[in-house]
């Protein structure tokens, strides 16, 4: 007997099949897609402090071996000379706080030179210039042994005539101790030999004096030295003591400190160092208690990294930032103690001369980012985590992970097994020796996958849909057949 109508539950069964098929398909797609997702990472916004390109519209031409020093009395840098292919004797002033670069035109200037020594003596309110090299019309390179003072208050250069002086040279390491009103000069190159002698200069009597120490750095040129007021000491790093044919050099990577009042050199042995190099820019940030260094030349490579030497810990650390100056050697610069900026100007990278000006607000903001090998896993799966830390002082104090299930780990790389289903917030935190630190987080979803036949069920969802459509069509034809039978049974109509 043909039923007169489709049972009430049939439509319900069709709907359930459709919904169930879609649900199973969705569940399996989530499981397969998420388990195979690529590693992801999260990070905090970019740092607000760090390196900044502050090149103004007007700048000096690119120079190598220029001489530059900073006056806190006037809050300005003075740049003299350098080589643009030939030695020069122009004088420029840089004011970071809105002034930019300005060329000066003194009535008298020292003769042309590059790689001389140039410092600012705060007690005398004057810049001190000594030595350097120049090229004769016949192509010979000669060294100078003259001493000059520059008074930036009235743009005046004056020659000084001390009774005795260091021998003519270039590429000496030099720094000024304003507390004792003394400038220290170490080593250099006289055109044929590397030098290791030491001299001091005082403006009070305009005199150079030779010094001697029981233990002192080896002979060298192109090392860099700075004075730190916090420890009342000079710090010397690197240099070279050999230059041969075909650009063969021998660079130094040692760190020394000198106490003026005891005339004592002490070699330091930090855990890590920037490596053997010369021609860097080095300056003291007394407020932070570090010596900052940027660029240089070492291992046959022009360098672009930044380092800080902590004068309390007596350790070097690399300082990273999201933006940094391009690599360069033979650049100039110094530390602006009024605006708290480490400044680097010019230099070059092989044949490429640079005429840009950069400043570093130290320390750059500490920034961290984290990445995971997967963000959706099954219980018992191991997830690998990595963290990237940039900025800060460079002296990382701690790194820690919290996995959201009570477990923790240290270091920038970690692995963890999540045992139970759930959503876990994984947090990484890094701190340095300068503040509260920085953190980043991501979520890990741990979910039990469907049963083994889930994939088959997903495919069955499509089959269920086809079956449901077939049932609907069958029901429609059945209703039409029932209507025809009723017409045949009306009174007065004979059955066939």
């Amino acid at each position: 007997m043909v039923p007169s109508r489709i049972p009430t539950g049939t439509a319900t069964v069709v709907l359930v099949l459709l919904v169930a098929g879609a649900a199973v398909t969705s569940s399996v797609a989530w499981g397969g897609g998420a388990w195979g997702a690529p590693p992801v990472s999260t990070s905090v916004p970019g740092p607000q402090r760090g390196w900044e390109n502050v090149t103004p519209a007007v700048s000096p031409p690119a120079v190598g071996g220029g001489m530059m020093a900073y006056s806190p009395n006037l809050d300005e840098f003075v740049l003299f000379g350098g080589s643009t292919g030939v030695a020069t004797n122009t004088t420029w002033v840089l004011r970071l706080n809105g002034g930019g670069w300005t060329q000066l035109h003194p009535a008298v200037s020292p003769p042309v030179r590059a790689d001389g020594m140039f410092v600012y003596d705060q007690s005398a309110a004057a810049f001190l210039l000594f030595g350097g090299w120049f090229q004769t019309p016949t192509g010979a390179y000669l060294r100078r042994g003259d001493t000059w003072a520059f008074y930036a208050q009235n743009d005046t250069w004056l020659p000084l005539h001390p009774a005795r002086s260091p021998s003519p040279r270039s590429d000496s390491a030099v720094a000024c101790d304003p507390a004792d009103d003394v400038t220290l000069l170490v080593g250099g190159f006289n055109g044929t030999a590397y030098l290791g002698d030491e001299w001091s200069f005082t403006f009070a009597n305009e005199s150079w004096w030779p010094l001697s120490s029981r233990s002192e750095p080896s002979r060298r040129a192109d090392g860099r030295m700075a004075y730190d007021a916090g420890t009342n000491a000079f710090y010397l790093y690197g240099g070279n003591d050999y230059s041969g044919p075909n650009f063969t050099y021998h660079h130094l990577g040692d760190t020394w400190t000198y106490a003026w009042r005891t005339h004592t050199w002490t070699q330091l042995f930090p855990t890590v160092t920037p490596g053997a190099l010369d021609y860097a820019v080095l300056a003291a940030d007394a407020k932070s208690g570090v010596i900052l260094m940027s660029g240089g030349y070492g291992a046959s490579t022009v360098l672009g990294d930044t380092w800080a030497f902590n004068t309390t810990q007596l350790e070097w650390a690399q300082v990273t930032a999201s933006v940094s100056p391009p690599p360069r050697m033979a650049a100039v610069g110094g530390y602006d103690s009024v605006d708290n900026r480490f400044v680097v100007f010019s230099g070059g990278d092989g044949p490429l001369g640079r005429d840009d000006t950069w400043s570093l607000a130290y320390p750059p903001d500490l920034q961290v980012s984290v990445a995971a090998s997967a963000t959706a896993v099954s219980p018992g799966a191991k997830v690998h985590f990595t963290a990237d830390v940039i900025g800060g002082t460079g002296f990382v104090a701690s790194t820690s992970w919290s996995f959201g299930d009570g477990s923790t780990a240290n270091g920038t790389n970690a692995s963890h097994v999540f045992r139970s289903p759930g959503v876990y917030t994984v947090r990484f935190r890094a701190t340095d020796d300068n503040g509260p630190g920085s953190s980043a987080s991501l979520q890990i979803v741990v979910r039990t996958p469907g049963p083994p036949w889930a994939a088959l069920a997903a495919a069955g969802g499509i089959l269920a849909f086809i079956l449901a459509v077939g049932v609907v069509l069958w029901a429609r034809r059945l209703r039409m057949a029932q209507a025809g039978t009723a017409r045949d049974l009306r009174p007065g109509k004979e059955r066939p």
Side-chain angles (χ1 to χ4, degrees):
M1 177 178 180
V2 179
S4 61
R5 62 185 176 88
I6 299 177
T8 305
T10 303
T12 304
V13 170
V14 173
L15 179 61
V16 169
L17 285 173
L18 289 171
V19 173
V24 171
T25 303
S26 173
S27 174
V28 173
W30 182 92
W35 260 267
V40 298
S41 64
T42 64
S43 62
V44 297
Q48 301 301 308
R49 288 172 51 90
W51 280 107
E52 181 182 4
N53 189 335
V54 294
T55 307
V58 176
S59 291
V63 295
M67 292 140 281
M68 184 167 165
Y70 174 75
S71 164
N73 295 5
L74 301 174
D75 188 20
E76 66 184 25
F77 290 89
V78 172
L79 169 69
F80 176 74
S83 174
T84 60
V86 294
T88 65
N89 68 340
T90 55
T91 303
W92 290 76
V93 168
L94 171 65
R95 298 179 181 89
L96 277 187
N97 194 8
W101 284 102
T102 303
Q103 185 174 1
L104 305 181
H105 301 279
V108 176
S109 293
V112 298
R113 71 193 67 203
D115 287 316
M117 54 136 286
F118 192 58
V119 295
Y120 182 74
D121 187 315
Q122 191 169 352
S123 299
F127 293 85
L128 178 68
L129 171 68
F130 174 81
W133 62 262
F134 68 102
Q135 190 174 13
T136 68
T138 61
Y141 287 90
L142 301 179
R143 267 64 187 177
R144 298 192 184 278
D146 51 348
T147 304
W148 289 75
F150 180 68
Y151 297 89
Q153 302 92 319
N154 53 14
D155 302 343
T156 301
W157 282 102
L158 291 177
L160 303 181
H161 304 284
R164 55 182 170 181
S165 298
S167 60
R169 67 188 67 196
S170 63
D171 305 285
S172 301
V174 62
C176 182
D177 169 3
D180 296 301
D181 188 22
V182 61
T183 293
L184 178 66
L185 179 150
V186 178
F189 186 67
N190 66 10
T192 59
Y194 287 87
L195 306 174
D197 53 345
E198 305 157 24
W199 291 77
S200 67
F201 180 88
T202 56
F203 263 103
N205 52 21
E206 295 186 5
S207 298
W208 283 104
W209 291 93
L211 304 172
S212 62
S213 303
R214 178 173 300 179
S215 176
E216 58 190 17
S218 59
R219 296 170 178 261
R220 69 190 63 204
D222 301 312
R224 295 295 184 257
M225 189 163 62
Y227 172 81
D228 174 54
T231 55
N232 193 29
F234 295 88
Y235 294 86
L236 170 70
Y237 187 81
N240 67 74
D241 58 8
Y242 173 80
S243 59
N246 302 318
F247 301 100
T248 53
Y249 305 96
H250 181 253
H251 293 105
L252 303 168
D254 47 353
T255 306
W256 292 78
T257 182
Y258 180 77
W260 167 255
R261 296 177 185 178
T262 60
H263 298 291
T264 303
W265 281 102
T266 303
Q267 185 173 4
L268 306 176
F269 298 92
T271 306
V272 297
T273 73
L277 58 84
D278 59 10
Y279 280 118
V281 176
L282 188 80
D285 174 359
K287 181 179 179 181
S288 300
V290 297
I291 308 295
L292 297 170
M293 184 170 69
S294 177
Y297 184 79
S300 301
T301 302
V302 177
L303 306 171
D305 46 358
T306 303
W307 289 77
F309 180 78
N310 188 299
T311 58
T312 301
Q313 302 176 21
L314 302 182
E315 292 285 354
W316 284 100
Q318 187 170 2
V319 179
T320 55
S322 58
V323 176
S324 296
R328 66 194 64 211
M329 59 178 285
V332 291
Y335 191 80
D336 178 341
S337 57
V338 174
D339 299 302
N340 296 315
R341 295 291 188 274
F342 177 49
V343 174
V344 171
F345 170 71
S346 196
D349 182 357
L352 178 62
R354 304 189 185 281
D355 60 358
D356 50 350
T357 305
W358 289 77
S359 75
L360 170 66
Y362 178 86
D365 286 343
L366 188 64
Q367 180 185 22
V368 301
S369 61
V370 293
S373 58
T375 55
V377 296
S378 301
K382 180 181 287 188
V383 182
H384 303 282
F385 297 93
T386 59
D388 186 33
V389 181
I390 65 171
T393 63
F395 298 91
V396 177
S398 66
T399 53
S400 61
W401 294 89
S402 172
F403 298 108
D405 60 359
S407 300
T408 60
N410 297 319
T412 54
N413 298 314
S415 297
H416 187 65
V417 176
F418 296 89
R419 301 293 180 184
S420 303
V423 178
Y424 299 88
T425 299
V426 177
R427 291 185 173 86
F428 173 81
R429 183 171 186 78
T431 62
D432 60 13
D433 58 356
N434 189 56
S438 182
S439 62
S441 65
L442 52 74
Q443 287 191 331
I444 303 296
V445 178
V446 182
R447 180 172 179 176
T448 303
W453 42 264
L456 180 62
I462 300 175
L463 181 61
F465 175 76
I466 297 173
L467 179 61
V469 172
V471 170
V472 171
L473 294 176
W474 170 75
R476 181 179 178 183
R477 295 191 63 182
L478 180 61
R479 285 196 298 270
M480 292 175 62
Q482 288 177 328
T485 301
R487 285 194 299 269
D488 290 343
L489 296 178
R490 282 180 298 178
K493 180 69 175 177
E494 297 181 358
R495 297 176 62 91

